[in-house]
mmCIF file with all atom_site columns, all heavy atoms in Angstrom:
data_model
loop_
_atom_site.group_PDB
_atom_site.id
_atom_site.type_symbol
_atom_site.label_atom_id
_atom_site.label_alt_id
_atom_site.label_comp_id
_atom_site.label_asym_id
_atom_site.label_entity_id
_atom_site.label_seq_id
_atom_site.pdbx_PDB_ins_code
_atom_site.Cartn_x
_atom_site.Cartn_y
_atom_site.Cartn_z
_atom_site.occupancy
_atom_site.B_iso_or_equiv
_atom_site.pdbx_formal_charge
_atom_site.auth_seq_id
_atom_site.auth_comp_id
_atom_site.auth_asym_id
_atom_site.auth_atom_id
_atom_site.pdbx_PDB_model_num
ATOM   1  N  N   . HIS A 1 112 ? -1.896  44.043 -46.713 1.00 0.00 ? 303 HIS A N   1
ATOM   2  C  CA  . HIS A 1 112 ? -2.488  45.357 -46.970 1.00 0.00 ? 303 HIS A CA  1
ATOM   3  C  C   . HIS A 1 112 ? -1.441  46.462 -46.734 1.00 0.00 ? 303 HIS A C   1
ATOM   4  O  O   . HIS A 1 112 ? -1.227  47.335 -47.582 1.00 0.00 ? 303 HIS A O   1
ATOM   5  C  CB  . HIS A 1 112 ? -3.700  45.527 -46.043 1.00 0.00 ? 303 HIS A CB  1
ATOM   6  C  CG  . HIS A 1 112 ? -4.412  46.847 -46.150 1.00 0.00 ? 303 HIS A CG  1
ATOM   7  N  ND1 . HIS A 1 112 ? -5.708  46.958 -46.575 1.00 0.00 ? 303 HIS A ND1 1
ATOM   8  C  CD2 . HIS A 1 112 ? -4.003  48.121 -45.880 1.00 0.00 ? 303 HIS A CD2 1
ATOM   9  C  CE1 . HIS A 1 112 ? -6.070  48.235 -46.574 1.00 0.00 ? 303 HIS A CE1 1
ATOM   10 N  NE2 . HIS A 1 112 ? -5.045  48.970 -46.144 1.00 0.00 ? 303 HIS A NE2 1
ATOM   11 N  N   . GLU A 1 113 ? -0.771  46.401 -45.576 1.00 0.00 ? 304 GLU A N   1
ATOM   12 C  CA  . GLU A 1 113 ? 0.229   47.422 -45.244 1.00 0.00 ? 304 GLU A CA  1
ATOM   13 C  C   . GLU A 1 113 ? 1.477   47.260 -46.115 1.00 0.00 ? 304 GLU A C   1
ATOM   14 O  O   . GLU A 1 113 ? 2.115   48.241 -46.488 1.00 0.00 ? 304 GLU A O   1
ATOM   15 C  CB  . GLU A 1 113 ? 0.624   47.350 -43.768 1.00 0.00 ? 304 GLU A CB  1
ATOM   16 C  CG  . GLU A 1 113 ? -0.520  47.495 -42.778 1.00 0.00 ? 304 GLU A CG  1
ATOM   17 C  CD  . GLU A 1 113 ? -1.365  48.744 -42.989 1.00 0.00 ? 304 GLU A CD  1
ATOM   18 O  OE1 . GLU A 1 113 ? -0.853  49.717 -43.596 1.00 0.00 ? 304 GLU A OE1 1
ATOM   19 O  OE2 . GLU A 1 113 ? -2.533  48.736 -42.580 1.00 0.00 ? 304 GLU A OE2 1
ATOM   20 N  N   . HIS A 1 116 ? 1.071   49.108 -49.228 1.00 0.00 ? 307 HIS A N   1
ATOM   21 C  CA  . HIS A 1 116 ? 1.327   50.550 -49.044 1.00 0.00 ? 307 HIS A CA  1
ATOM   22 C  C   . HIS A 1 116 ? 2.838   50.815 -49.053 1.00 0.00 ? 307 HIS A C   1
ATOM   23 O  O   . HIS A 1 116 ? 3.304   51.773 -49.662 1.00 0.00 ? 307 HIS A O   1
ATOM   24 C  CB  . HIS A 1 116 ? 0.760   51.038 -47.705 1.00 0.00 ? 307 HIS A CB  1
ATOM   25 C  CG  . HIS A 1 116 ? -0.729  51.206 -47.686 1.00 0.00 ? 307 HIS A CG  1
ATOM   26 N  ND1 . HIS A 1 116 ? -1.400  51.970 -48.617 1.00 0.00 ? 307 HIS A ND1 1
ATOM   27 C  CD2 . HIS A 1 116 ? -1.675  50.741 -46.829 1.00 0.00 ? 307 HIS A CD2 1
ATOM   28 C  CE1 . HIS A 1 116 ? -2.704  51.939 -48.335 1.00 0.00 ? 307 HIS A CE1 1
ATOM   29 N  NE2 . HIS A 1 116 ? -2.894  51.202 -47.260 1.00 0.00 ? 307 HIS A NE2 1
ATOM   30 N  N   . GLY A 1 130 ? -6.971  58.096 -49.490 1.00 0.00 ? 321 GLY A N   1
ATOM   31 C  CA  . GLY A 1 130 ? -6.153  57.734 -48.326 1.00 0.00 ? 321 GLY A CA  1
ATOM   32 C  C   . GLY A 1 130 ? -5.057  56.731 -48.665 1.00 0.00 ? 321 GLY A C   1
ATOM   33 O  O   . GLY A 1 130 ? -4.659  55.931 -47.827 1.00 0.00 ? 321 GLY A O   1
ATOM   34 N  N   . HIS A 1 132 ? -5.381  54.403 -50.875 1.00 0.00 ? 323 HIS A N   1
ATOM   35 C  CA  . HIS A 1 132 ? -5.989  53.170 -51.395 1.00 0.00 ? 323 HIS A CA  1
ATOM   36 C  C   . HIS A 1 132 ? -6.397  53.360 -52.850 1.00 0.00 ? 323 HIS A C   1
ATOM   37 O  O   . HIS A 1 132 ? -7.571  53.261 -53.215 1.00 0.00 ? 323 HIS A O   1
ATOM   38 C  CB  . HIS A 1 132 ? -7.173  52.760 -50.516 1.00 0.00 ? 323 HIS A CB  1
ATOM   39 C  CG  . HIS A 1 132 ? -6.772  52.576 -49.080 1.00 0.00 ? 323 HIS A CG  1
ATOM   40 N  ND1 . HIS A 1 132 ? -6.958  53.525 -48.117 1.00 0.00 ? 323 HIS A ND1 1
ATOM   41 C  CD2 . HIS A 1 132 ? -6.127  51.556 -48.468 1.00 0.00 ? 323 HIS A CD2 1
ATOM   42 C  CE1 . HIS A 1 132 ? -6.462  53.100 -46.963 1.00 0.00 ? 323 HIS A CE1 1
ATOM   43 N  NE2 . HIS A 1 132 ? -5.948  51.909 -47.151 1.00 0.00 ? 323 HIS A NE2 1
ATOM   44 N  N   . TRP A 1 136 ? -2.450  50.786 -55.756 1.00 0.00 ? 327 TRP A N   1
ATOM   45 C  CA  . TRP A 1 136 ? -2.236  50.109 -54.476 1.00 0.00 ? 327 TRP A CA  1
ATOM   46 C  C   . TRP A 1 136 ? -2.996  48.788 -54.454 1.00 0.00 ? 327 TRP A C   1
ATOM   47 O  O   . TRP A 1 136 ? -2.469  47.757 -54.041 1.00 0.00 ? 327 TRP A O   1
ATOM   48 C  CB  . TRP A 1 136 ? -2.697  51.001 -53.300 1.00 0.00 ? 327 TRP A CB  1
ATOM   49 C  CG  . TRP A 1 136 ? -2.861  50.203 -52.044 1.00 0.00 ? 327 TRP A CG  1
ATOM   50 C  CD1 . TRP A 1 136 ? -1.870  49.840 -51.180 1.00 0.00 ? 327 TRP A CD1 1
ATOM   51 C  CD2 . TRP A 1 136 ? -4.061  49.599 -51.559 1.00 0.00 ? 327 TRP A CD2 1
ATOM   52 N  NE1 . TRP A 1 136 ? -2.389  49.049 -50.174 1.00 0.00 ? 327 TRP A NE1 1
ATOM   53 C  CE2 . TRP A 1 136 ? -3.723  48.884 -50.396 1.00 0.00 ? 327 TRP A CE2 1
ATOM   54 C  CE3 . TRP A 1 136 ? -5.387  49.589 -52.007 1.00 0.00 ? 327 TRP A CE3 1
ATOM   55 C  CZ2 . TRP A 1 136 ? -4.673  48.173 -49.654 1.00 0.00 ? 327 TRP A CZ2 1
ATOM   56 C  CZ3 . TRP A 1 136 ? -6.328  48.888 -51.278 1.00 0.00 ? 327 TRP A CZ3 1
ATOM   57 C  CH2 . TRP A 1 136 ? -5.961  48.185 -50.118 1.00 0.00 ? 327 TRP A CH2 1
ATOM   58 N  N   . VAL A 1 152 ? -11.944 51.572 -47.626 1.00 0.00 ? 343 VAL A N   1
ATOM   59 C  CA  . VAL A 1 152 ? -11.747 51.379 -46.199 1.00 0.00 ? 343 VAL A CA  1
ATOM   60 C  C   . VAL A 1 152 ? -11.661 52.775 -45.580 1.00 0.00 ? 343 VAL A C   1
ATOM   61 O  O   . VAL A 1 152 ? -11.272 53.717 -46.246 1.00 0.00 ? 343 VAL A O   1
ATOM   62 C  CB  . VAL A 1 152 ? -10.439 50.603 -45.923 1.00 0.00 ? 343 VAL A CB  1
ATOM   63 C  CG1 . VAL A 1 152 ? -10.632 49.130 -46.181 1.00 0.00 ? 343 VAL A CG1 1
ATOM   64 C  CG2 . VAL A 1 152 ? -9.298  51.127 -46.756 1.00 0.00 ? 343 VAL A CG2 1
ATOM   65 N  N   . HIS A 1 154 ? -9.757  53.972 -42.861 1.00 0.00 ? 345 HIS A N   1
ATOM   66 C  CA  . HIS A 1 154 ? -8.769  54.188 -41.807 1.00 0.00 ? 345 HIS A CA  1
ATOM   67 C  C   . HIS A 1 154 ? -7.541  54.904 -42.357 1.00 0.00 ? 345 HIS A C   1
ATOM   68 O  O   . HIS A 1 154 ? -7.291  54.894 -43.566 1.00 0.00 ? 345 HIS A O   1
ATOM   69 C  CB  . HIS A 1 154 ? -8.384  52.880 -41.118 1.00 0.00 ? 345 HIS A CB  1
ATOM   70 C  CG  . HIS A 1 154 ? -8.006  51.795 -42.050 1.00 0.00 ? 345 HIS A CG  1
ATOM   71 N  ND1 . HIS A 1 154 ? -6.833  51.767 -42.730 1.00 0.00 ? 345 HIS A ND1 1
ATOM   72 C  CD2 . HIS A 1 154 ? -8.688  50.685 -42.443 1.00 0.00 ? 345 HIS A CD2 1
ATOM   73 C  CE1 . HIS A 1 154 ? -6.783  50.684 -43.477 1.00 0.00 ? 345 HIS A CE1 1
ATOM   74 N  NE2 . HIS A 1 154 ? -7.890  50.014 -43.344 1.00 0.00 ? 345 HIS A NE2 1
ATOM   75 N  N   . ASP A 1 156 ? -4.102  54.598 -42.418 1.00 0.00 ? 347 ASP A N   1
ATOM   76 C  CA  . ASP A 1 156 ? -2.961  53.733 -42.120 1.00 0.00 ? 347 ASP A CA  1
ATOM   77 C  C   . ASP A 1 156 ? -1.735  54.072 -42.962 1.00 0.00 ? 347 ASP A C   1
ATOM   78 O  O   . ASP A 1 156 ? -0.759  53.348 -42.936 1.00 0.00 ? 347 ASP A O   1
ATOM   79 C  CB  . ASP A 1 156 ? -3.356  52.258 -42.303 1.00 0.00 ? 347 ASP A CB  1
ATOM   80 C  CG  . ASP A 1 156 ? -3.773  51.953 -43.730 1.00 0.00 ? 347 ASP A CG  1
ATOM   81 O  OD1 . ASP A 1 156 ? -4.262  52.867 -44.417 1.00 0.00 ? 347 ASP A OD1 1
ATOM   82 O  OD2 . ASP A 1 156 ? -3.588  50.811 -44.156 1.00 0.00 ? 347 ASP A OD2 1
ATOM   83 N  N   . VAL A 1 157 ? -1.818  55.176 -43.711 1.00 0.00 ? 348 VAL A N   1
ATOM   84 C  CA  . VAL A 1 157 ? -0.655  55.584 -44.492 1.00 0.00 ? 348 VAL A CA  1
ATOM   85 C  C   . VAL A 1 157 ? -0.141  56.883 -43.890 1.00 0.00 ? 348 VAL A C   1
ATOM   86 O  O   . VAL A 1 157 ? -0.843  57.882 -43.861 1.00 0.00 ? 348 VAL A O   1
ATOM   87 C  CB  . VAL A 1 157 ? -1.033  55.809 -45.969 1.00 0.00 ? 348 VAL A CB  1
ATOM   88 C  CG1 . VAL A 1 157 ? 0.186   56.208 -46.776 1.00 0.00 ? 348 VAL A CG1 1
ATOM   89 C  CG2 . VAL A 1 157 ? -1.628  54.531 -46.540 1.00 0.00 ? 348 VAL A CG2 1
HETATM 90 ZN ZN1 . ZN  B 2 .   ? -4.585  50.958 -46.095 1.00 0.00 ? 703 ZN  B ZN1 1
#
Side-chain angles (χ1 to χ4, degrees):
H303 178 116
E304 303 306 337
H307 284 306
H323 303 99
W327 164 82
V343 282
H345 50 73
D347 62 332
V348 181

